[in-house]
Coordinates of all heavy atoms in Angstrom, one line a residue:
M29 N 126.6 119.3 92.9 CA 126.2 118.2 92.0 C 127.1 118.1 90.8 O 127.6 119.2 90.4 CB 124.7 118.2 91.7 CG 124.3 119.3 90.8 SD 122.5 119.5 90.7 CE 122.2 118.1 89.6
P30 N 127.3 117.0 90.2 CA 128.2 116.9 89.0 C 127.6 117.8 87.9 O 126.4 117.8 87.7 CB 128.2 115.4 88.6 CG 127.8 114.8 89.9 CD 126.8 115.7 90.6
L31 N 128.5 118.4 87.1 CA 128.0 119.3 86.1 C 127.2 118.7 85.0 O 126.2 119.1 84.6 CB 129.3 120.0 85.5 CG 129.0 121.1 84.5 CD1 128.2 122.2 85.2 CD2 130.3 121.7 84.0
E32 N 127.6 117.4 84.6 CA 126.8 116.7 83.6 C 125.4 116.5 84.0 O 124.5 116.6 83.3 CB 127.4 115.4 83.2 CG 128.9 115.4 83.0 CD 129.6 115.1 84.2 OE1 129.7 114.0 84.7 OE2 130.2 116.1 84.9
L33 N 125.3 116.1 85.3 CA 123.9 115.8 85.8 C 123.1 117.1 85.9 O 121.9 117.1 85.6 CB 124.0 115.2 87.2 CG 124.2 113.7 87.3 CD1 124.1 113.2 88.7 CD2 123.0 113.0 86.5
A34 N 123.8 118.2 86.3 CA 123.0 119.5 86.3 C 122.5 119.9 85.0 O 121.4 120.3 84.8 CB 124.0 120.6 86.8
R35 N 123.4 119.6 83.9 CA 123.0 120.0 82.6 C 121.8 119.1 82.1 O 120.8 119.5 81.5 CB 124.1 119.7 81.6 CG 125.2 120.7 81.8 CD 125.8 121.2 80.5 NE 126.8 122.2 80.6 CZ 128.1 122.0 80.7 NH1 128.6 120.8 80.5 NH2 129.0 123.0 80.8
E36 N 121.9 117.7 82.4 CA 120.8 116.9 82.1 C 119.5 117.3 82.8 O 118.5 117.3 82.2 CB 121.2 115.4 82.5 CG 120.2 114.4 81.9 CD 120.5 113.0 82.3 OE1 121.7 112.7 82.6 OE2 119.6 112.2 82.4
A37 N 119.7 117.6 84.0 CA 118.4 118.0 84.8 C 117.8 119.3 84.2 O 116.6 119.3 84.0 CB 118.8 118.2 86.2
E38 N 118.7 120.2 83.8 CA 118.1 121.4 83.2 C 117.5 121.2 81.9 O 116.5 121.9 81.6 CB 119.3 122.4 83.1 CG 119.7 123.0 84.5 CD 120.9 123.8 84.6 OE1 121.6 123.9 83.6 OE2 121.2 124.4 85.6
Q39 N 117.9 120.2 81.1 CA 117.3 120.0 79.9 C 115.9 119.4 80.1 O 115.1 119.4 79.2 CB 118.1 119.0 79.1 CG 119.3 119.7 78.3 CD 120.3 118.7 77.8 OE1 120.1 117.5 77.9 NE2 121.4 119.2 77.3
R40 N 115.7 118.8 81.2 CA 114.4 118.1 81.5 C 113.4 119.1 82.1 O 112.3 118.7 82.4 CB 114.6 116.9 82.4 CG 115.4 115.8 81.6 CD 115.7 114.7 82.4 NE 114.6 113.9 82.8 CZ 114.6 112.7 83.4 NH1 115.8 112.2 83.6 NH2 113.6 112.1 83.7
T41 N 113.7 120.3 82.4 CA 112.8 121.2 83.0 C 112.4 122.3 82.0 O 113.1 122.6 81.1 CB 113.4 121.9 84.2 OG1 114.4 122.8 83.7 CG2 114.0 120.9 85.2
S42 N 111.2 122.8 82.2 CA 110.7 123.9 81.3 C 111.4 125.2 81.6 O 111.6 126.0 80.7 CB 109.2 124.1 81.4 OG 108.9 124.2 82.8
T43 N 111.9 125.4 82.8 CA 112.6 126.7 83.1 C 114.0 126.6 82.7 O 114.6 127.6 82.5 CB 112.5 126.9 84.6 OG1 113.1 125.8 85.3 CG2 111.1 127.1 85.2
G44 N 114.6 125.4 82.5 CA 116.0 125.3 82.1 C 116.9 125.6 83.2 O 118.1 125.9 83.1
Y45 N 116.3 125.6 84.5 CA 117.2 126.0 85.6 C 116.9 125.0 86.8 O 115.7 124.8 87.1 CB 116.9 127.4 86.0 CG 117.6 127.8 87.3 CD1 118.9 128.1 87.3 CD2 116.9 127.7 88.5 CE1 119.6 128.5 88.5 CE2 117.6 128.1 89.7 CZ 118.9 128.4 89.7 OH 119.6 128.7 90.8
V46 N 117.9 124.5 87.4 CA 117.8 123.8 88.6 C 118.7 124.4 89.7 O 119.7 124.9 89.3 CB 118.0 122.3 88.5 CG1 117.0 121.6 87.6 CG2 119.4 122.0 88.1
D47 N 118.3 124.3 90.9 CA 119.1 124.8 92.0 C 120.2 123.8 92.2 O 120.0 122.6 92.5 CB 118.2 125.0 93.2 CG 119.0 125.7 94.3 OD1 120.2 125.9 94.2 OD2 118.4 126.0 95.3
R48 N 121.5 124.2 92.1 CA 122.6 123.2 92.2 C 123.0 123.1 93.7 O 123.9 122.2 94.0 CB 123.7 123.6 91.4 CG 123.3 123.6 89.9 CD 124.5 123.9 89.0 NE 124.0 124.1 87.6 CZ 124.7 124.2 86.6 NH1 126.0 124.1 86.7 NH2 124.2 124.4 85.4
A49 N 122.4 123.8 94.6 CA 122.8 123.6 96.0 C 121.8 122.7 96.6 O 120.7 123.1 97.1 CB 122.7 125.0 96.7
I50 N 122.0 121.4 96.4 CA 121.0 120.4 96.8 C 121.2 120.0 98.2 O 122.3 119.7 98.7 CB 121.2 119.1 95.9 CG1 121.1 119.5 94.4 CG2 120.2 118.1 96.2 CD1 119.8 120.1 94.0
Q51 N 120.1 119.9 98.9 CA 120.1 119.3 100.2 C 119.2 118.1 100.3 O 118.2 118.1 99.7 CB 119.6 120.4 101.3 CG 120.6 121.5 101.4 CD 120.1 122.5 102.4 OE1 119.0 122.8 102.5 NE2 121.0 123.1 103.1
C52 N 119.6 117.1 101.2 CA 118.7 116.0 101.4 C 117.4 116.5 102.1 O 117.5 117.2 103.0 CB 119.5 115.0 102.2 SG 118.6 113.5 102.5
R53 N 116.3 116.0 101.5 CA 115.1 116.3 102.1 C 114.5 115.4 103.1 O 113.4 115.5 103.7 CB 114.0 116.5 101.0 CG 114.3 117.7 100.0 CD 114.1 119.0 100.7 NE 114.3 120.1 99.7 CZ 113.3 120.8 99.2 NH1 112.1 120.5 99.4 NH2 113.6 121.7 98.3
L54 N 115.2 114.2 103.3 CA 114.6 113.3 104.2 C 114.9 113.7 105.6 O 115.8 114.5 105.9 CB 115.4 111.9 104.1 CG 115.2 111.2 102.7 CD1 116.1 109.9 102.7 CD2 113.8 111.0 102.3
S55 N 114.0 113.2 106.5 CA 114.3 113.5 107.9 C 115.6 112.7 108.3 O 116.1 111.9 107.6 CB 113.1 113.0 108.8 OG 112.8 111.7 108.5
D56 N 116.1 113.0 109.5 CA 117.3 112.3 109.9 C 117.2 110.9 109.6 O 116.3 110.2 110.0 CB 117.5 112.5 111.4 CG 117.9 113.9 111.8 OD1 118.3 114.7 110.9 OD2 117.8 114.3 112.9
H57 N 118.3 110.3 109.0 CA 118.2 109.0 108.6 C 119.5 108.3 108.7 O 120.6 108.9 108.7 CB 117.6 108.8 107.2 CG 118.4 109.4 106.1 ND1 119.4 108.8 105.4 CD2 118.4 110.7 105.7 CE1 119.9 109.6 104.5 NE2 119.3 110.8 104.7
E58 N 119.5 106.9 108.7 CA 120.7 106.1 109.0 C 121.3 105.8 107.6 O 122.5 105.7 107.5 CB 120.3 104.8 109.7 CG 119.6 105.1 111.0 CD 120.4 104.8 112.1 OE1 121.1 103.7 112.1 OE2 120.5 105.6 113.1
G59 N 120.4 105.5 106.7 CA 121.0 105.0 105.4 C 121.9 106.0 104.7 O 121.9 107.2 105.1
D60 N 122.6 105.6 103.7 CA 123.5 106.4 102.9 C 122.9 107.0 101.7 O 123.6 107.8 101.0 CB 124.8 105.7 102.6 CG 125.6 105.4 103.9 OD1 125.6 106.2 104.8 OD2 126.3 104.3 103.9
D61 N 121.7 106.6 101.3 CA 121.1 107.2 100.2 C 120.4 108.5 100.6 O 119.6 108.5 101.5 CB 120.0 106.2 99.6 CG 120.6 105.1 98.8 OD1 121.8 105.3 98.3 OD2 120.0 104.0 98.7
H62 N 120.8 109.6 99.8 CA 120.2 110.9 100.1 C 119.4 111.3 98.9 O 119.7 111.0 97.8 CB 121.3 111.9 100.4 CG 122.1 111.5 101.6 ND1 121.7 111.7 102.9 CD2 123.3 111.0 101.7 CE1 122.6 111.2 103.7 NE2 123.7 110.8 103.0
Y63 N 118.4 112.1 99.2 CA 117.5 112.5 98.1 C 117.3 114.0 98.2 O 116.8 114.6 99.2 CB 116.1 111.9 98.2 CG 116.1 110.4 97.9 CD1 116.4 109.5 98.9 CD2 115.8 109.9 96.6 CE1 116.4 108.1 98.7 CE2 115.8 108.6 96.4 CZ 116.1 107.7 97.4 OH 116.0 106.3 97.2
G64 N 117.6 114.7 97.1 CA 117.4 116.2 97.1 C 116.5 116.5 95.9 O 116.6 116.0 94.8
L65 N 115.5 117.5 96.2 CA 114.6 117.9 95.1 C 115.3 118.9 94.2 O 115.9 119.8 94.6 CB 113.4 118.6 95.8 CG 112.3 119.1 94.9 CD1 111.7 118.0 94.2 CD2 111.3 119.9 95.7
L66 N 115.2 118.6 92.9 CA 115.8 119.5 91.9 C 114.8 120.5 91.5 O 115.0 121.7 91.5 CB 116.3 118.7 90.7 CG 117.5 117.8 91.1 CD1 117.9 117.0 89.9 CD2 118.7 118.7 91.5
T67 N 113.7 120.0 91.0 CA 112.7 120.8 90.4 C 111.4 120.1 90.2 O 111.4 118.8 90.1 CB 113.1 121.4 89.1 OG1 112.1 122.4 88.6 CG2 113.3 120.4 88.0
E68 N 110.2 120.7 90.1 CA 109.0 120.1 89.7 C 109.1 119.9 88.2 O 109.6 120.7 87.5 CB 107.8 121.1 90.0 CG 107.6 121.4 91.4 CD 107.2 120.2 92.3 OE1 106.4 119.3 91.7 OE2 107.6 120.1 93.4
L69 N 108.4 118.8 87.7 CA 108.4 118.6 86.3 C 107.0 119.1 85.7 O 106.1 119.4 86.5 CB 108.6 117.1 86.0 CG 110.0 116.6 86.3 CD1 110.1 115.1 86.1 CD2 111.0 117.3 85.4
D70 N 107.0 119.1 84.4 CA 105.7 119.6 83.8 C 104.6 118.7 84.0 O 103.4 119.1 84.1 CB 106.0 119.8 82.3 CG 106.9 120.9 82.0 OD1 107.1 121.8 82.8 OD2 107.5 120.9 80.9
T71 N 104.9 117.4 84.1 CA 103.9 116.4 84.4 C 103.4 116.7 85.8 O 104.2 116.7 86.8 CB 104.5 115.0 84.3 OG1 105.3 114.9 83.2 CG2 103.4 113.9 84.4
Y72 N 102.1 116.8 86.0 CA 101.5 117.1 87.2 C 101.9 116.1 88.3 O 101.7 114.9 88.1 CB 100.0 117.3 87.1 CG 99.4 117.6 88.4 CD1 99.4 119.0 88.9 CD2 98.7 116.7 89.2 CE1 98.9 119.2 90.2 CE2 98.1 117.0 90.4 CZ 98.3 118.3 90.9 OH 97.7 118.6 92.1
G73 N 102.3 116.5 89.5 CA 102.5 115.6 90.5 C 103.8 114.8 90.4 O 104.0 113.8 91.0
T74 N 104.7 115.3 89.6 CA 106.0 114.6 89.4 C 107.1 115.6 89.6 O 107.0 116.8 89.2 CB 106.1 114.0 88.0 OG1 104.9 113.3 87.8 CG2 107.3 113.1 87.9
A75 N 108.2 115.2 90.2 CA 109.3 116.1 90.4 C 110.6 115.3 90.1 O 110.6 114.1 90.1 CB 109.4 116.6 91.8
L76 N 111.6 116.1 89.8 CA 112.9 115.5 89.5 C 113.8 115.5 90.7 O 114.0 116.6 91.4 CB 113.6 116.3 88.4 CG 114.8 115.7 87.6 CD1 114.4 114.4 87.0 CD2 115.4 116.7 86.6
W77 N 114.3 114.4 91.1 CA 115.1 114.2 92.3 C 116.5 113.8 92.0 O 116.7 113.0 91.0 CB 114.5 113.2 93.2 CG 113.2 113.6 93.8 CD1 111.9 113.6 93.2 CD2 112.9 114.2 95.1 NE1 111.0 114.1 94.0 CE2 111.6 114.4 95.2 CE3 113.8 114.4 96.2 CZ2 111.0 115.0 96.3 CZ3 113.2 115.0 97.3 CH2 111.8 115.3 97.4
L78 N 117.4 114.2 92.8 CA 118.8 113.7 92.7 C 118.9 112.7 93.9 O 118.7 113.1 95.0 CB 119.8 114.8 92.8 CG 121.2 114.4 92.7 CD1 121.6 114.0 91.3 CD2 122.2 115.5 93.3
R79 N 119.3 111.5 93.6 CA 119.7 110.6 94.6 C 121.2 110.4 94.7 O 121.8 110.3 93.6 CB 119.1 109.2 94.4 CG 119.4 108.2 95.5 CD 118.8 106.8 95.2 NE 119.6 106.3 94.1 CZ 119.1 105.3 93.3 NH1 118.0 104.8 93.5 NH2 119.8 104.8 92.3
W80 N 121.8 110.5 95.8 CA 123.2 110.3 95.8 C 123.6 109.4 97.0 O 122.9 109.3 98.0 CB 124.0 111.6 95.9 CG 124.0 112.4 97.1 CD1 124.9 112.4 98.1 CD2 123.0 113.4 97.5 NE1 124.6 113.3 99.1 CE2 123.4 113.9 98.7 CE3 121.8 113.8 96.9 CZ2 122.7 114.9 99.4 CZ3 121.1 114.8 97.6 CH2 121.5 115.3 98.8
H81 N 124.7 108.6 96.7 CA 125.2 107.8 97.7 C 126.7 107.9 97.6 O 127.3 107.3 96.6 CB 124.7 106.3 97.4 CG 125.1 105.3 98.3 ND1 124.4 104.2 98.7 CD2 126.3 105.1 99.0 CE1 125.0 103.5 99.6 NE2 126.2 104.0 99.8
G82 N 127.4 108.6 98.5 CA 128.8 108.9 98.3 C 128.9 109.7 97.0 O 128.3 110.8 96.9
T83 N 129.7 109.3 96.1 CA 129.9 110.1 94.9 C 129.0 109.5 93.7 O 129.0 110.0 92.6 CB 131.4 110.0 94.4 OG1 131.7 108.6 94.3 CG2 132.3 110.7 95.4
E84 N 128.2 108.5 94.0 CA 127.3 107.9 93.0 C 126.0 108.8 93.0 O 125.4 108.9 94.0 CB 127.0 106.5 93.3 CG 128.0 105.5 92.9 CD 127.7 104.1 93.2 OE1 126.4 103.8 93.0 OE2 128.5 103.4 93.8
T85 N 125.7 109.3 91.8 CA 124.4 110.1 91.7 C 123.5 109.6 90.6 O 124.0 108.9 89.7 CB 124.8 111.5 91.5 OG1 125.6 111.6 90.3 CG2 125.5 112.2 92.6
A86 N 122.2 109.8 90.8 CA 121.3 109.4 89.7 C 120.2 110.4 89.7 O 119.8 111.0 90.8 CB 120.7 108.0 90.0
L87 N 119.7 110.7 88.6 CA 118.5 111.5 88.4 C 117.2 110.7 88.3 O 117.2 109.7 87.6 CB 118.6 112.3 87.0 CG 119.5 113.5 87.0 CD1 119.4 114.1 85.6 CD2 119.1 114.5 88.0
L88 N 116.2 111.0 89.1 CA 115.0 110.2 89.1 C 113.8 111.1 89.0 O 113.7 112.1 89.7 CB 114.9 109.5 90.4 CG 116.1 108.6 90.9 CD1 115.9 108.2 92.3 CD2 116.2 107.4 90.0
A89 N 112.9 110.8 88.1 CA 111.6 111.5 88.0 C 110.7 110.7 88.8 O 110.3 109.5 88.5 CB 111.2 111.6 86.6
L90 N 110.2 111.2 89.9 CA 109.4 110.5 90.9 C 108.0 111.2 91.1 O 108.0 112.4 91.2 CB 110.1 110.4 92.2 CG 111.5 109.6 92.2 CD1 112.2 109.7 93.5 CD2 111.2 108.1 91.9
P91 N 107.0 110.4 91.3 CA 105.7 111.0 91.7 C 105.7 111.5 93.1 O 106.4 111.0 94.0 CB 104.7 109.8 91.6 CG 105.5 108.6 91.7 CD 106.9 109.0 91.2
D92 N 104.9 112.5 93.4 CA 104.9 113.1 94.7 C 104.3 112.1 95.7 O 103.4 111.3 95.3 CB 104.0 114.4 94.7 CG 104.6 115.5 93.9 OD1 105.8 115.4 93.6 OD2 103.9 116.4 93.5
C93 N 104.7 112.2 96.9 CA 104.1 111.4 98.0 C 102.7 111.9 98.2 O 102.4 113.0 98.3 CB 104.9 111.6 99.3 SG 104.2 110.7 100.7
P94 N 101.7 110.9 98.1 CA 100.3 111.2 98.2 C 99.8 111.5 99.6 O 98.6 111.9 99.8 CB 99.6 110.1 97.6 CG 100.5 108.9 97.9 CD 101.9 109.5 97.9
M95 N 100.6 111.2 100.6 CA 100.1 111.2 102.0 C 100.0 112.7 102.5 O 100.9 113.5 102.2 CB 101.1 110.5 102.9 CG 101.2 109.0 102.5 SD 99.6 108.1 102.7 CE 99.4 108.1 104.5
T96 N 99.0 112.9 103.2 CA 98.8 114.2 103.9 C 98.7 114.0 105.4 O 98.2 112.9 105.8 CB 97.7 115.0 103.3 OG1 96.5 114.2 103.4 CG2 97.9 115.5 101.9
G97 N 99.0 115.0 106.1 CA 98.8 114.9 107.6 C 97.4 114.8 108.0 O 96.5 115.0 107.2
P98 N 97.2 114.5 109.2 CA 95.8 114.3 109.8 C 95.0 115.6 109.8 O 95.6 116.7 109.9 CB 96.0 113.7 111.2 CG 97.4 114.2 111.6 CD 98.2 114.3 110.3
G99 N 93.7 115.5 109.8 CA 92.8 116.7 109.9 C 92.5 117.2 108.6 O 93.0 116.8 107.5
P100 N 91.4 118.0 108.6 CA 90.9 118.6 107.3 C 91.8 119.4 106.5 O 91.8 119.5 105.3 CB 89.6 119.3 107.8 CG 89.9 119.6 109.2 CD 90.7 118.5 109.8
D101 N 92.8 120.0 107.2 CA 93.7 120.9 106.6 C 95.1 120.3 106.6 O 96.1 120.9 106.7 CB 93.8 122.3 107.2 CG 92.5 123.0 107.2 OD1 91.8 123.0 106.1 OD2 92.1 123.6 108.2
G102 N 95.1 118.9 106.4 CA 96.3 118.2 106.5 C 97.4 118.7 105.5 O 97.1 119.0 104.4
E103 N 98.5 118.9 106.0 CA 99.7 119.4 105.3 C 100.1 118.3 104.3 O 100.2 117.1 104.7 CB 100.8 119.7 106.3 CG 101.8 120.7 105.9 CD 102.9 120.8 107.0 OE1 102.5 120.7 108.2 OE2 104.0 120.9 106.6
G104 N 100.5 118.7 103.1 CA 101.0 117.7 102.2 C 102.5 117.3 102.5 O 103.2 118.1 103.2
C105 N 102.8 116.1 102.1 CA 104.2 115.7 102.3 C 105.1 116.3 101.1 O 104.6 116.2 100.0 CB 104.3 114.2 102.3 SG 106.0 113.5 102.5
C106 N 106.3 116.7 101.4 CA 107.1 117.3 100.3 C 108.1 116.3 99.7 O 109.0 116.7 99.0 CB 107.9 118.4 100.9 SG 106.9 119.7 101.7
L107 N 107.9 115.0 100.0 CA 108.7 114.0 99.5 C 108.1 113.3 98.3 O 107.0 113.7 97.8 CB 109.2 113.1 100.6 CG 110.1 113.7 101.6 CD1 110.2 112.8 102.8 CD2 111.5 113.9 100.9
F108 N 108.6 112.2 97.8 CA 108.2 111.4 96.8 C 107.5 110.2 97.2 O 107.7 109.8 98.4 CB 109.3 111.1 95.8 CG 110.5 110.5 96.5 CD1 110.6 109.1 96.7 CD2 111.5 111.3 97.0 CE1 111.7 108.6 97.5 CE2 112.6 110.8 97.7 CZ 112.7 109.5 98.0
A109 N 106.7 109.6 96.4 CA 105.9 108.3 96.8 C 107.0 107.3 97.2 O 108.0 107.1 96.6 CB 105.1 107.9 95.6
D110 N 106.6 106.5 98.2 CA 107.4 105.4 98.7 C 108.7 105.8 99.2 O 109.7 105.0 99.2 CB 107.5 104.3 97.7 CG 106.1 103.7 97.3 OD1 105.3 103.6 98.1 OD2 106.0 103.4 96.0
H111 N 108.9 107.0 99.7 CA 110.2 107.5 100.2 C 110.4 106.7 101.5 O 109.5 106.3 102.2 CB 110.2 109.0 100.4 CG 109.1 109.5 101.4 ND1 109.2 109.4 102.8 CD2 107.9 110.0 101.2 CE1 108.2 109.8 103.3 NE2 107.3 110.2 102.4
P112 N 111.8 106.6 101.9 CA 112.1 106.0 103.2 C 111.9 107.1 104.2 O 111.7 108.3 103.9 CB 113.6 105.7 103.1 CG 114.1 106.6 102.0 CD 112.9 106.9 101.0
E113 N 111.9 106.7 105.5 CA 111.8 107.7 106.6 C 110.5 108.3 106.7 O 109.5 107.9 106.0 CB 112.9 108.7 106.5 CG 114.3 108.2 106.4 CD 114.7 107.3 107.5 OE1 114.3 107.5 108.7 OE2 115.5 106.4 107.3
A114 N 110.3 109.3 107.6 CA 109.0 109.9 107.9 C 108.6 110.9 106.8 O 109.4 111.5 106.1 CB 109.1 110.6 109.3
H115 N 107.2 111.1 106.8 CA 106.7 112.1 106.0 C 107.1 113.5 106.5 O 107.4 113.6 107.7 CB 105.2 112.1 105.9 CG 104.7 110.8 105.4 ND1 104.9 110.4 104.0 CD2 104.0 109.8 105.9 CE1 104.4 109.2 103.8 NE2 103.9 108.8 105.0
T116 N 107.2 114.5 105.6 CA 107.7 115.8 106.1 C 106.8 116.4 107.2 O 107.3 117.1 108.1 CB 108.0 116.8 105.0 OG1 106.8 116.9 104.2 CG2 109.1 116.4 104.1
W117 N 105.5 116.1 107.1 CA 104.6 116.7 108.1 C 104.7 115.9 109.4 O 104.2 116.4 110.4 CB 103.1 116.7 107.6 CG 102.7 115.5 106.9 CD1 102.6 115.3 105.6 CD2 102.2 114.2 107.5 NE1 102.1 114.0 105.3 CE2 101.9 113.3 106.4 CE3 102.0 113.8 108.8 CZ2 101.3 112.0 106.7 CZ3 101.5 112.5 109.1 CH2 101.2 111.7 108.0
Q118 N 105.3 114.8 109.4 CA 105.6 114.1 110.8 C 106.8 114.7 111.4 O 107.1 114.4 112.6 CB 105.8 112.6 110.5 CG 104.6 111.9 110.1 CD 104.9 110.5 109.7 OE1 105.8 110.1 109.0 NE2 104.0 109.6 110.2
H119 N 107.5 115.5 110.7 CA 108.7 116.1 111.3 C 108.7 117.6 111.3 O 109.6 118.3 111.0 CB 110.0 115.6 110.6 CG 110.4 114.3 111.1 ND1 111.4 114.3 112.1 CD2 110.0 113.1 111.0 CE1 111.6 113.0 112.4 NE2 110.7 112.2 111.8
A120 N 107.5 118.2 111.6 CA 107.4 119.6 111.6 C 108.3 120.0 112.8 O 108.5 119.3 113.8 CB 105.9 120.0 112.0
P121 N 108.8 121.2 112.7 CA 109.8 121.6 113.7 C 109.2 121.7 115.1 O 109.9 121.6 116.1 CB 110.3 123.0 113.2 CG 109.4 123.4 112.1 CD 108.8 122.2 111.6
E122 N 107.9 122.0 115.1 CA 107.3 122.1 116.4 C 105.9 121.4 116.3 O 105.2 121.6 115.4 CB 107.1 123.6 116.7 CG 106.4 123.8 118.1 CD 106.1 125.3 118.3 OE1 106.1 126.1 117.3 OE2 105.9 125.7 119.4
V123 N 105.6 120.6 117.3 CA 104.3 119.9 117.4 C 103.4 120.6 118.4 O 103.8 120.6 119.6 CB 104.5 118.4 117.6 CG1 103.2 117.8 117.7 CG2 105.4 117.8 116.6
T124 N 102.3 121.1 118.0 CA 101.4 121.7 118.9 C 100.1 120.9 118.9 O 99.6 120.7 117.9 CB 101.1 123.2 118.4 OG1 102.3 123.8 118.2 CG2 100.3 123.9 119.4
S125 N 99.8 120.5 120.1 CA 98.5 119.8 120.1 C 97.5 120.5 121.0 O 97.9 121.1 122.0 CB 98.7 118.3 120.6 OG 99.7 118.3 121.6
Y126 N 96.2 120.5 120.5 CA 95.2 121.2 121.2 C 94.4 120.1 121.9 O 94.1 119.0 121.3 CB 94.3 122.0 120.3 CG 95.0 123.1 119.6 CD1 95.6 122.9 118.4 CD2 95.1 124.3 120.2 CE1 96.3 124.0 117.8 CE2 95.8 125.4 119.6 CZ 96.4 125.2 118.4 OH 97.1 126.2 117.8
A127 N 94.0 120.3 123.1 CA 93.0 119.4 123.8 C 91.7 119.8 123.3 O 91.1 120.9 123.6 CB 93.1 119.6 125.3
S128 N 91.1 118.9 122.5 CA 89.8 119.2 122.0 C 88.8 118.1 122.2 O 89.2 117.0 122.4 CB 89.9 119.6 120.5 OG 90.4 118.5 119.8
Ligands
ZN125 ZN1 120.1 112.3 103.6
ZN126 ZN1 105.5 111.3 102.5

């Protein structure tokens, strides 16, 4: 990520540290907008994301996605509210279903 953006992101976190090895967290997608999680913010349920499209980048403070998977122990989604593509729990590496 660009150095200026990394600095700006670090100023917005309490730890003063963000991981600069950013990976897109969306499931396989067609669009060119990618979203990488930088860090959780102090505001509960909010995280700082880096959106990039080619060389264009932007820092976004976004609320967490409120959706959880089915069932009483539904897994939370690791993305932000209104994200494109599937929730992270819809793309678990392995889907196990029990006949119940
Ligand atoms: Zn992507
Ligand atoms: Zn989600």
